[in-house]
Amino acid sequence: MSSPLLVGKNIVKNFIDAQRSVDILHGVNINVHAGETLAILGASGSGKSTLLHILGTLDSPCSGDVLFKGESLLSLSKKQQASFRNTQLGFVYQFHHLLPEFNATENVAMPKLIAGVAKKEAYAGAHELLERVGLSHRLNHKPHQMSGGERQRVAIARAMINKPSIIMADEPTGNLDNDASDDILKLINDINKADNTCFIIVTHDHGLANKMDRTLTLVNGNFMNEGDVGK
């Protein structure tokens, strides 16, 4: 098998709570390969969102490292990490995190505009992606004018706009009904197959996890199925 695209090495994370140390992650190791869909399961408070944030350079571990194509991400400056996130990663959250004052086109185009792409080009890319996710009729609608499933589709289109290697999703169906959840799952699988985009999905939904290529389960700060980590 080819070398992993993303590697987490011996990741340790703890917090200070009421003057005591609360251990969250205990030397977690994880290998993620290009083009795979990976679910990280775990109960509430198991550290799965914390791990996702560390892998995405949104948070720092107390010790350990995160490598992308063999290069340490934690050795980069904050500015370099921000540039890496904008070009190589896409993020999708349970509550979409769309900017309420902007319409669907503007929300999807935002990462390109931040990267300095001309407005006309950024908007053209946004329109193409919104059509792809089935929202060509919602180009000028603001988040409050769309359903929960539609807002999540906009969030996925925004995550795709810079053609990232990896999309990291934190409970992407957690706030949706069954039909909308099924639609989002189908969309994720379609994107994965068409673009070879890797998905790392944090969830407590075993049904969703079972439809991914691989599942790892966090229990007591480490993966229960440790043998799968190095695949």
Side-chain angles (χ1 to χ4, degrees):
M1 181 176 282
S2 61
S3 298
L5 179 65
L6 184 73
V7 175
K9 296 180 64 176
N10 299 315
I11 294 173
V12 173
K13 184 69 174 181
N14 53 57
F15 298 101
I16 303 299
D17 180 30
Q19 297 184 334
R20 66 186 181 92
S21 179
V22 178
D23 294 330
I24 304 297
L25 300 171
H26 309 294
V28 171
N29 292 289
I30 181 170
N31 292 338
V32 183
H33 291 271
E36 78 167 321
T37 57
L38 171 65
I40 299 176
L41 273 171
S44 178
S46 63
K48 57 189 186 296
S49 292
T50 299
L51 176 60
L52 192 72
H53 292 165
I54 290 171
L55 294 175
T57 71
L58 294 170
D59 194 4
S60 298
C62 297
S63 63
D65 203 356
V66 178
L67 308 176
F68 180 78
K69 295 183 178 178
E71 300 294 328
S72 173
L73 296 177
L74 302 186
S75 65
L76 300 178
S77 68
K78 294 300 182 185
K79 184 177 180 180
Q80 289 171 323
Q81 288 181 352
S83 177
F84 166 78
R85 287 193 298 270
N86 197 47
T87 57
Q88 295 292 338
L89 303 181
F91 294 92
V92 179
Y93 300 95
Q94 180 176 351
F95 296 103
H96 62 76
H97 288 196
L98 300 178
L99 298 170
E101 65 272 29
F102 294 110
N103 64 30
T105 297
E106 292 164 335
N107 267 287
V108 173
M110 196 63 66
K112 274 198 174 297
L113 296 173
I114 290 171
V117 173
K119 183 176 178 180
K120 183 177 180 180
E121 180 182 342
Y123 278 25
H127 289 166
E128 180 181 336
L129 283 172
L130 285 166
E131 180 175 358
R132 184 174 172 186
V133 301
L135 292 177
S136 58
H137 60 304
R138 291 285 191 257
L139 301 180
N140 298 312
H141 286 65
K142 293 184 178 180
H144 75 274
Q145 297 172 310
M146 293 181 281
S147 70
E150 287 173 335
R151 289 193 290 267
Q152 202 64 308
R153 284 173 174 268
V154 174
I156 290 172
R158 179 182 60 187
M160 293 169 61
I161 191 71
N162 282 332
K163 299 180 180 178
S165 301
I166 304 171
I167 291 179
M168 298 184 169
D170 194 347
E171 301 283 8
T173 62
N175 199 40
L176 304 177
D177 61 30
N178 288 338
D179 288 343
S181 295
D182 288 344
D183 288 344
I184 293 300
L185 176 59
K186 182 180 184 302
L187 180 58
I188 287 171
N189 284 326
D190 288 348
I191 294 166
N192 170 254
K193 288 181 172 61
D195 300 351
N196 200 41
T197 304
C198 173
F199 279 83
I200 305 174
I201 299 178
V202 159
T203 184
H204 65 273
D205 183 346
H206 287 261
L208 172 62
N210 288 339
K211 293 173 182 175
M212 300 295 103
D213 295 331
R214 190 159 57 100
T215 299
L216 296 170
T217 304
L218 269 176
V219 178
N220 297 324
N222 219 320
F223 286 123
M224 183 173 68
N225 37 351
E226 188 73 29
D228 290 340
V229 172
K231 283 188 177 180

